[in-house]
Amino acid sequence: MNHKIIAYVEELESALMNQMEDHNEENLLFSIASNLIAQDRAQYKNVCQAYEVVKHHIVGIH
């Protein structure tokens, strides 16, 4: 993974942990990732890869 993807993984996980109490984790993760993509469309691929990493962490698949 490149540094951008790692940074997005950390950002997604942090945002997810901060907001998880009130939401379904998968829907919340998708929402957070969508917002990141909306902020910087050029980072679409990096955010998508980070989304998959975080999703697998949540499910427990490595």
Side-chain angles (χ1 to χ4, degrees):
M1 278 190 282
N2 67 37
H3 293 290
K4 288 255 186 207
I5 295 170
I6 293 169
Y8 282 121
V9 166
E10 291 171 358
E11 189 170 349
L12 285 168
E13 286 178 335
S14 175
L16 185 62
M17 291 300 137
N18 287 331
Q19 299 176 35
M20 210 164 63
E21 297 171 354
D22 302 328
H23 299 86
N24 173 291
E25 289 123 0
E26 187 173 344
N27 291 337
L28 178 59
L29 177 59
F30 182 80
S31 175
I32 294 167
S34 296
N35 289 337
L36 287 173
I37 292 168
Q39 292 172 13
D40 188 355
R41 187 79 174 139
Q43 294 301 317
Y44 176 81
K45 286 183 180 180
N46 290 330
V47 173
C48 287
Q49 288 180 340
Y51 170 87
E52 289 299 322
V53 169
V54 174
K55 184 175 78 173
H56 286 292
H57 285 172
I58 290 170
V59 175
I61 300 171
H62 295 249

